[in-house]
Amino acid sequence: MAFEGLAERLQGTLNKIRGKGKVSEADVKEMMREVRFALLEADVNFKVVKEFITSVKERAVGQEVLKSLTPGQQVIKVVNEELTALMGGEQSKIAVANKPPTIVMMAGLQGAGKTTTTAKLANHLRKKHNRKPLMVAADIYRPAAIKQLETLGKQLDIPVFSMGDQVSPVEITKNALAKAKEEHHDYVLIDTAGRLHVDEDLMKELDDIKALADPDEILLVVDAMTGQDAVNVAESFNERLGITGIVLTKLDGDTRGGAALSVKAVTGTPIKFAGMGEKVDALEPFYPDRMASRILG
Ligand code: GDP
């Protein structure tokens, strides 16, 4: 299960303080030392850990906390709130254009789960928001990506626009947008080209699609299992392209938690959705408060 080690360690640490009728500054310090180790071991970015510890300490050693009737519980409440804030605080929703269609570019490296997530998101938009999405097969580089999206489209009965892999992604996007207008789709999800690594060709191509489509949302799909690599990828994409949201996939796996806890703080971009499995309905809006509570038990 995701966050297992982190949850176990944090809960163990917090339990020591939970029932205490009296908590001293030294108790908080000792507790935060353990929290720091737990976060670092879960592969959370060290700068993020440092800032997190500082904010919790500042709040937790305040008189109203330590002198309260239930200081142990109050300290835990502070940790919970700061953990929630670290992951973005409020749930961050997908954009809606003033004038349809809302255009969403899906970006990410090969294997992150971009194509699967495109289909999951289309399914989510139709099921939960009653939308009429069009998916666009513009990943012409990964063998079988187009076929994969078409198969998922058939399975979901959601249309897929494709022109094969001999036409440029910009050209595909241009035609897809015309089609979306014609058929009154209110969301267009573009499965853009993935690559094995972040490189200039990839960024240039995404830039060109962005310039043409003027997307309302650029969602970067990253694999939670890759920890700080996922954070680094998000930072590169954000600096070069500008992203508006992150989809963290494979949170159903046994990720330690580093990506989920660091990526918002490092990039300033919120996690909007979490991938929770391989099936098309395994996509959930990302709720920082629920995630924090899940970690802290
Ligand atoms: P792409 O290259 O980024 O388009 O990646 P794919 O969409 O083909 O996904 C790569 C692999 O990851 C596939 O086997 C997917 O089934 C799997 N995958 C995607 N999202 C999730 C997820 O949230 N959980 C799990 N367990 N597997 C996922």
Side-chain angles (χ1 to χ4, degrees), residues 44-293:
V44 179
N45 174 289
F46 75 97
K47 258 168 107 180
V48 172
V49 173
K50 204 167 161 211
E51 281 163 27
F52 176 79
I53 297 293
T54 307
S55 345
V56 173
K57 262 194 203 155
E58 248 167 42
R59 287 184 59 198
V61 299
Q63 290 305 307
E64 39 315 354
V65 171
L66 297 189
K67 293 259 180 291
S68 72
L69 286 174
T70 52
Q73 282 176 26
Q74 296 304 317
V75 171
I76 293 170
K77 189 160 165 265
V78 170
V79 173
N80 190 317
E81 285 170 7
E82 290 294 326
L83 213 51
T84 303
L86 191 64
M87 289 184 279
E90 293 276 294
Q91 191 228 338
S92 192
K93 296 198 166 68
I94 189 164
V96 186
N98 290 331
K99 194 169 157 277
T102 303
I103 297 169
V104 183
M105 256 176 89
M106 306 294 295
L109 296 184
Q110 268 181 30
K114 183 171 51 58
T115 302
T116 312
T117 303
T118 304
K120 284 178 176 177
L121 184 58
N123 183 43
H124 172 86
L125 287 166
R126 185 181 59 184
K127 228 163 133 178
K128 304 277 183 214
H129 300 272
N130 222 357
R131 301 288 181 173
K132 193 185 164 212
L134 175 68
M135 299 192 279
V136 183
D139 183 354
I140 61 170
Y141 300 106
R142 178 162 69 79
I146 297 176
K147 191 92 211 294
Q148 185 186 346
L149 193 65
E150 283 173 344
T151 306
L152 288 165
K154 263 204 199 104
Q155 186 188 331
L156 291 167
D157 197 20
I158 292 176
V160 173
F161 183 89
S162 65
M163 295 174 80
D165 59 6
Q166 300 300 312
V167 181
S168 79
V170 171
E171 196 59 29
I172 295 171
T173 303
K174 200 178 184 178
N175 284 280
L177 293 179
K179 175 106 170 163
K181 283 220 172 93
E182 212 176 280
E183 296 184 351
H184 304 289
H185 289 281
D186 47 18
Y187 268 87
V188 180
L189 309 181
I190 308 166
D191 185 20
T192 64
R195 294 276 208 291
L196 288 173
H197 308 283
V198 176
D199 64 28
E200 190 43 36
D201 283 348
L202 170 64
M203 290 302 171
K204 169 86 176 65
E205 186 167 292
L206 294 176
D207 243 355
D208 290 346
I209 297 176
K210 180 183 173 185
L212 174 94
D214 189 21
D216 303 285
E217 186 92 75
I218 301 179
L219 291 180
L220 181 71
V221 178
V222 292
D223 177 348
M225 298 291 291
T226 62
Q228 288 312 298
D229 272 349
V231 178
N232 295 336
V233 166
E235 222 181 350
S236 313
F237 270 80
N238 195 35
E239 276 167 13
R240 180 64 174 77
L241 186 70
I243 56 177
T244 58
I246 291 164
V247 181
L248 206 53
T249 62
K250 309 186 194 180
L251 269 186
D252 52 309
D254 58 358
T255 162
R256 283 183 287 163
L261 288 166
S262 319
V263 78
K264 164 67 171 69
V266 172
T267 64
T269 311
I271 302 169
K272 296 200 169 180
F273 291 95
M276 302 297 295
E278 297 197 66
K279 298 225 168 74
V280 282
D281 58 358
L283 183 78
E284 295 174 8
F286 185 82
Y287 293 96
D289 56 343
R290 289 186 202 170
M291 197 54 82
S293 297

